[in-house]
Amino acid sequence: MAVVPDSSAAPRPGAVALALLLVYVVWGSTYLGIAKALQAGVLPLTSVSGARFIIAGSLMYAVLRLFRKMPRPTLRQWRNLTIMGFTMLLLGNGMVVLAERDVSSGLAATAVASVPLWMALFSAVRGQHASRGEWLGIAIGFLGVVWLNAGSSLAASPTGLILLLVAPVGWAFGSVWVRGQDLPGPFMTAAGQMICGGVLLVITGLSVGERPTALPSLDGLLAVAYLCLFGSIVAFTAYVWLLHNVRPALAGSYAYVNPVIAVLLGVLLNGEHFGWRDLVAMAVILAGVLVLALARTRK
């Protein structure tokens, strides 16, 4: 969705700092939340992703309709929201959750950090030609992706490797495809996308045989509640506010901060370990995203 920053009044620095902190830390911590939920036996597609998006999206939708009096999406808009839910939530988020059954939360977050690189590539294919600096960032970033996939511990998990290749491509394709489409306002778009994506995730989970055999533990339920409330509502609301009030490059800086947060939390709270190849690949990917962001700022 294209959102134009509101330049009529400069946002307070404290509000910007708080919103950035929420997006950086909360979104970075969701990878650990996913890992904890999976370790507690919560089903990946139907519960860790599907149920929490349906709950979060329904709560947002109810608030927007009842208290903000926003109109409901049209049938055409629901179709577009369904496509967004398929590409960004089913292929994007759902594949990350499945991958975290085999790989660490830090590696998953680092692979997802390549989203801006794929977005730039898809944008170039659509005719939005990249500058030399942007192509340099794309090249550096993809070098890191190749290193991560071929030379790190991720290579030991073929399933996780494939899933973490599909996830950023799906999210990036959906993010580029959505530009210029008929959609409701940004908050209603978020709510509708979560509802549609959540339903698709639950259907997919059931179709591949996910069936609850026992109630999740308290830790698992708390992890899903955290993902629903903070990951899907609080942090996303902060991100949309940033899109309205600061430069896109600053709002999108989460892409190279989230992996750092995810790696630190994984090491400190989940006993994850990383080799030197993993760390080098992470650094190269983040360097590519940073070069890309700086090139776009100058452009």
mmCIF file of all heavy atoms in Angstrom, residues 1-3 84 174-175 178-180 183-187 189-190 193 236 239-240 243:
data_model
loop_
_atom_site.group_PDB
_atom_site.id
_atom_site.type_symbol
_atom_site.label_atom_id
_atom_site.label_comp_id
_atom_site.label_asym_id
_atom_site.label_seq_id
_atom_site.Cartn_x
_atom_site.Cartn_y
_atom_site.Cartn_z
ATOM 1 N N MET A 1 0.842 -1.172 0.000
ATOM 2 C CA MET A 1 0.000 0.000 0.000
ATOM 3 C C MET A 1 0.878 1.222 0.000
ATOM 4 O O MET A 1 1.900 1.260 0.676
ATOM 5 C CB MET A 1 -0.939 -0.049 1.199
ATOM 6 C CG MET A 1 -0.554 0.712 2.421
ATOM 7 S SD MET A 1 -1.493 0.226 3.899
ATOM 8 C CE MET A 1 -0.589 -1.224 4.389
ATOM 9 N N ALA A 2 0.536 2.244 -0.758
ATOM 10 C CA ALA A 2 1.319 3.466 -0.807
ATOM 11 C C ALA A 2 0.776 4.445 0.215
ATOM 12 O O ALA A 2 -0.387 4.814 0.183
ATOM 13 C CB ALA A 2 1.271 4.072 -2.200
ATOM 14 N N VAL A 3 1.629 4.876 1.124
ATOM 15 C CA VAL A 3 1.211 5.807 2.159
ATOM 16 C C VAL A 3 2.110 7.023 2.092
ATOM 17 O O VAL A 3 3.332 6.908 2.106
ATOM 18 C CB VAL A 3 1.324 5.165 3.566
ATOM 19 C CG1 VAL A 3 0.841 6.134 4.621
ATOM 20 C CG2 VAL A 3 0.515 3.887 3.619
ATOM 21 N N MET A 84 -3.305 -10.472 -0.948
ATOM 22 C CA MET A 84 -2.274 -10.026 -0.013
ATOM 23 C C MET A 84 -2.081 -11.048 1.103
ATOM 24 O O MET A 84 -0.944 -11.347 1.503
ATOM 25 C CB MET A 84 -2.655 -8.670 0.587
ATOM 26 C CG MET A 84 -2.618 -7.506 -0.377
ATOM 27 S SD MET A 84 -3.201 -5.976 0.404
ATOM 28 C CE MET A 84 -1.950 -5.749 1.685
ATOM 29 N N GLY A 174 4.088 -9.790 -2.774
ATOM 30 C CA GLY A 174 2.825 -9.195 -2.356
ATOM 31 C C GLY A 174 2.942 -7.717 -2.083
ATOM 32 O O GLY A 174 2.044 -6.930 -2.421
ATOM 33 N N SER A 175 4.055 -7.299 -1.495
ATOM 34 C CA SER A 175 4.254 -5.889 -1.174
ATOM 35 C C SER A 175 4.367 -5.036 -2.428
ATOM 36 O O SER A 175 3.925 -3.880 -2.443
ATOM 37 C CB SER A 175 5.529 -5.724 -0.323
ATOM 38 O OG SER A 175 5.422 -6.441 0.891
ATOM 39 N N VAL A 178 0.805 -5.034 -4.534
ATOM 40 C CA VAL A 178 -0.301 -4.297 -3.939
ATOM 41 C C VAL A 178 -0.321 -2.824 -4.346
ATOM 42 O O VAL A 178 -1.346 -2.165 -4.246
ATOM 43 C CB VAL A 178 -0.233 -4.421 -2.400
ATOM 44 C CG1 VAL A 178 0.879 -3.545 -1.831
ATOM 45 C CG2 VAL A 178 -1.566 -4.063 -1.761
ATOM 46 N N ARG A 179 0.817 -2.316 -4.834
ATOM 47 C CA ARG A 179 0.890 -0.900 -5.198
ATOM 48 C C ARG A 179 -0.054 -0.598 -6.355
ATOM 49 O O ARG A 179 -0.015 -1.223 -7.395
ATOM 50 C CB ARG A 179 2.328 -0.526 -5.576
ATOM 51 C CG ARG A 179 3.306 -0.655 -4.421
ATOM 52 C CD ARG A 179 4.733 -0.483 -4.869
ATOM 53 N NE ARG A 179 5.664 -0.713 -3.766
ATOM 54 C CZ ARG A 179 6.981 -0.792 -3.902
ATOM 55 N NH1 ARG A 179 7.523 -0.673 -5.106
ATOM 56 N NH2 ARG A 179 7.751 -1.002 -2.851
ATOM 57 N N GLY A 180 -0.918 0.387 -6.140
ATOM 58 C CA GLY A 180 -1.875 0.778 -7.166
ATOM 59 C C GLY A 180 -3.159 -0.020 -7.164
ATOM 60 O O GLY A 180 -4.049 0.260 -7.972
ATOM 61 N N LEU A 183 -7.754 -0.656 -2.532
ATOM 62 C CA LEU A 183 -7.728 -1.116 -1.151
ATOM 63 C C LEU A 183 -8.383 -0.077 -0.248
ATOM 64 O O LEU A 183 -8.432 1.110 -0.592
ATOM 65 C CB LEU A 183 -6.289 -1.355 -0.683
ATOM 66 C CG LEU A 183 -5.525 -2.513 -1.333
ATOM 67 C CD1 LEU A 183 -4.061 -2.445 -0.970
ATOM 68 C CD2 LEU A 183 -6.122 -3.851 -0.912
ATOM 69 N N PRO A 184 -8.881 -0.502 0.911
ATOM 70 C CA PRO A 184 -9.394 0.471 1.879
ATOM 71 C C PRO A 184 -8.238 1.219 2.541
ATOM 72 O O PRO A 184 -7.085 1.101 2.103
ATOM 73 C CB PRO A 184 -10.153 -0.413 2.883
ATOM 74 C CG PRO A 184 -9.494 -1.749 2.784
ATOM 75 C CD PRO A 184 -9.063 -1.894 1.350
ATOM 76 N N GLY A 185 -8.525 1.981 3.602
ATOM 77 C CA GLY A 185 -7.479 2.699 4.317
ATOM 78 C C GLY A 185 -6.448 1.748 4.894
ATOM 79 O O GLY A 185 -6.677 0.531 4.988
ATOM 80 N N PRO A 186 -5.288 2.269 5.313
ATOM 81 C CA PRO A 186 -4.192 1.396 5.748
ATOM 82 C C PRO A 186 -4.536 0.499 6.925
ATOM 83 O O PRO A 186 -4.167 -0.677 6.942
ATOM 84 C CB PRO A 186 -3.066 2.379 6.100
ATOM 85 C CG PRO A 186 -3.740 3.713 6.266
ATOM 86 C CD PRO A 186 -4.899 3.696 5.355
ATOM 87 N N PHE A 187 -5.258 1.011 7.931
ATOM 88 C CA PHE A 187 -5.590 0.188 9.084
ATOM 89 C C PHE A 187 -6.633 -0.870 8.739
ATOM 90 O O PHE A 187 -6.535 -2.017 9.182
ATOM 91 C CB PHE A 187 -6.073 1.063 10.245
ATOM 92 C CG PHE A 187 -4.979 1.905 10.838
ATOM 93 C CD1 PHE A 187 -4.910 3.262 10.562
ATOM 94 C CD2 PHE A 187 -4.020 1.347 11.668
ATOM 95 C CE1 PHE A 187 -3.904 4.044 11.097
ATOM 96 C CE2 PHE A 187 -3.010 2.114 12.211
ATOM 97 C CZ PHE A 187 -2.940 3.480 11.923
ATOM 98 N N THR A 189 -6.995 -2.089 5.753
ATOM 99 C CA THR A 189 -6.251 -3.027 4.924
ATOM 100 C C THR A 189 -5.507 -4.037 5.790
ATOM 101 O O THR A 189 -5.506 -5.243 5.505
ATOM 102 C CB THR A 189 -5.248 -2.280 4.027
ATOM 103 O OG1 THR A 189 -5.975 -1.490 3.078
ATOM 104 C CG2 THR A 189 -4.347 -3.253 3.280
ATOM 105 N N ALA A 190 -4.883 -3.556 6.859
ATOM 106 C CA ALA A 190 -4.163 -4.460 7.764
ATOM 107 C C ALA A 190 -5.115 -5.467 8.393
ATOM 108 O O ALA A 190 -4.821 -6.671 8.455
ATOM 109 C CB ALA A 190 -3.449 -3.656 8.844
ATOM 110 N N GLN A 193 -6.450 -7.907 5.678
ATOM 111 C CA GLN A 193 -5.384 -8.809 5.241
ATOM 112 C C GLN A 193 -5.143 -9.899 6.277
ATOM 113 O O GLN A 193 -4.951 -11.073 5.929
ATOM 114 C CB GLN A 193 -4.102 -8.015 5.011
ATOM 115 C CG GLN A 193 -2.908 -8.862 4.631
ATOM 116 C CD GLN A 193 -1.627 -8.053 4.574
ATOM 117 O OE1 GLN A 193 -1.619 -6.850 4.809
ATOM 118 N NE2 GLN A 193 -0.526 -8.705 4.258
ATOM 119 N N PHE A 236 2.407 -3.450 14.494
ATOM 120 C CA PHE A 236 1.949 -3.066 13.165
ATOM 121 C C PHE A 236 1.326 -1.671 13.179
ATOM 122 O O PHE A 236 1.515 -0.891 12.251
ATOM 123 C CB PHE A 236 0.951 -4.083 12.617
ATOM 124 C CG PHE A 236 0.618 -3.847 11.171
ATOM 125 C CD1 PHE A 236 1.438 -4.350 10.180
ATOM 126 C CD2 PHE A 236 -0.482 -3.095 10.803
ATOM 127 C CE1 PHE A 236 1.160 -4.115 8.842
ATOM 128 C CE2 PHE A 236 -0.777 -2.859 9.471
ATOM 129 C CZ PHE A 236 0.056 -3.377 8.488
ATOM 130 N N TYR A 239 4.049 0.743 13.113
ATOM 131 C CA TYR A 239 4.663 0.804 11.791
ATOM 132 C C TYR A 239 3.835 1.667 10.839
ATOM 133 O O TYR A 239 4.381 2.491 10.094
ATOM 134 C CB TYR A 239 4.820 -0.605 11.236
ATOM 135 C CG TYR A 239 5.409 -0.662 9.851
ATOM 136 C CD1 TYR A 239 6.703 -0.219 9.599
ATOM 137 C CD2 TYR A 239 4.669 -1.167 8.781
ATOM 138 C CE1 TYR A 239 7.241 -0.267 8.332
ATOM 139 C CE2 TYR A 239 5.200 -1.223 7.509
ATOM 140 C CZ TYR A 239 6.491 -0.774 7.289
ATOM 141 O OH TYR A 239 7.020 -0.820 6.021
ATOM 142 N N VAL A 240 2.515 1.493 10.863
ATOM 143 C CA VAL A 240 1.651 2.305 9.996
ATOM 144 C C VAL A 240 1.753 3.777 10.385
ATOM 145 O O VAL A 240 1.799 4.663 9.525
ATOM 146 C CB VAL A 240 0.192 1.814 10.076
ATOM 147 C CG1 VAL A 240 -0.743 2.766 9.353
ATOM 148 C CG2 VAL A 240 0.070 0.416 9.481
ATOM 149 N N LEU A 243 4.843 5.172 8.877
ATOM 150 C CA LEU A 243 4.702 5.428 7.450
ATOM 151 C C LEU A 243 4.020 6.761 7.179
ATOM 152 O O LEU A 243 4.288 7.412 6.173
ATOM 153 C CB LEU A 243 3.908 4.296 6.796
ATOM 154 C CG LEU A 243 4.623 2.951 6.642
ATOM 155 C CD1 LEU A 243 3.675 1.916 6.072
ATOM 156 C CD2 LEU A 243 5.855 3.075 5.769
#
